[in-house]
Amino acid sequence: MSLFRKLFGSSISSSDEEKESQNNNFFPENNISVDERFIYNFKKNGGKFLYCENAQEVKDQFENILEENDWFESEVLCFDSKLFNLLDENKLTYTQPRNPIFLLSGCENLIAEEGSILFSSKQIKQLKPNELPTNIVVLATTSQILAMKSDGLSAIKKKYERDYPTNITAIKYFEKAKEEDFTQYGSSAKNLYLLLLEDL
């Protein structure tokens, strides 16, 4: 299945989709690229994915998220000064927010094997996932998609040779479990939007 068919929906029948899904379960590494695997797992975890070809599309999609959730004139948690202009353009308050509606952040990497997003103290300071707002908007690039968490940790080590970040954590669950799921025990589900900018 092509990347864009997965992203934007497909017109293939459900029986064909089942066959393809079964094939992917047996031979996922042969049938699916790292990008596709991330998108599939991320969406399976309940994440909302928005593909952007350029910076203007990022701005447009961000405004769509604000409109969809009625977040205009809200307080926002954001530690990344490179994202402040996006907040300023939309008149959002981010200096010392008392009750932030959402977190706007970059990330370290996107992990394909589990559809998770890897953060560090560079993006979320020393806050634990359960201390972050329930709503999160993440801006990332396609070059940040890596196969496994170990690849993500290696990339962090290479990126920050001296000023090594702390609080490295992955957020994986983006909706409450529909039934009791022991794998989600102790994790807090987030309503997460990913703005994925094409940079390759």
Side-chain angles (χ1 to χ4, degrees):
M1 185 183 259
S2 78
L3 174 62
F4 291 103
R5 200 176 330 148
K6 277 203 188 242
L7 302 182
F8 304 112
S10 85
S11 58
I12 61 172
S13 71
S14 59
S15 61
D16 289 344
E17 207 164 63
E18 274 177 35
K19 284 179 202 162
E20 194 156 324
S21 173
Q22 287 170 352
N23 290 342
N24 288 346
N25 289 339
F26 291 113
F27 306 106
E29 64 284 343
N30 295 335
N31 293 339
I32 192 167
S33 72
V34 173
D35 294 9
E36 287 178 302
R37 191 176 318 146
F38 169 75
I39 293 162
Y40 174 79
N41 288 330
F42 176 77
K43 288 172 77 175
K44 189 174 78 171
N45 292 344
K48 298 174 183 82
F49 170 83
L50 299 159
Y51 175 79
C52 306
E53 289 188 349
N54 53 51
Q56 185 57 51
E57 282 190 19
V58 169
K59 289 179 181 182
D60 294 344
Q61 293 290 12
F62 182 66
E63 286 178 20
N64 290 340
I65 292 169
L66 296 178
E67 191 174 338
E68 178 184 324
N69 293 283
D70 195 20
W71 287 343
F72 288 106
E73 298 177 23
S74 299
E75 292 188 324
V76 181
L77 186 63
C78 182
F79 301 112
D80 188 344
S81 59
K82 290 184 289 235
L83 299 175
F84 289 170
N85 66 329
L86 206 53
L87 299 171
D88 289 333
E89 286 175 14
N90 291 286
K91 298 181 176 69
L92 296 163
T93 307
Y94 54 89
T95 51
Q96 300 177 330
R98 291 184 186 157
N99 188 23
I101 298 296
F102 68 95
L103 166 73
L104 175 64
S105 176
C107 66
E108 292 297 340
N109 293 107
L110 308 171
I111 309 301
E113 72 174 336
E114 57 185 24
S116 65
I117 299 183
L118 198 60
F119 295 95
S120 77
S121 56
K122 300 290 182 182
Q123 294 88 36
I124 60 173
K125 303 294 184 192
Q126 297 306 318
L127 297 174
K128 302 287 178 261
N130 63 337
E131 297 170 322
L132 296 171
T134 302
N135 304 301
I136 299 176
V137 179
V138 174
L139 175 58
T141 58
T142 50
S143 62
Q144 289 178 281
I145 300 174
L146 298 174
M148 296 181 289
K149 201 179 281 183
S150 59
D151 298 329
L153 297 174
S154 297
I156 290 172
K157 196 171 183 181
K158 189 185 289 186
K159 182 178 176 183
Y160 305 101
E161 288 179 17
R162 295 209 170 114
D163 186 20
Y164 198 73
T166 56
N167 193 26
I168 297 169
T169 186
I171 295 181
K172 179 179 175 181
Y173 299 108
F174 312 118
E175 64 184 0
K176 293 254 184 247
K178 292 176 182 69
E179 32 188 82
E180 287 301 312
D181 181 356
F182 75 93
T183 61
Q184 288 195 32
Y185 182 75
S187 64
S188 55
K190 300 296 180 186
N191 176 35
L192 194 141
Y193 291 86
L194 173 63
L195 296 168
L196 187 64
L197 176 62
E198 178 65 63
D199 71 339
L200 291 174

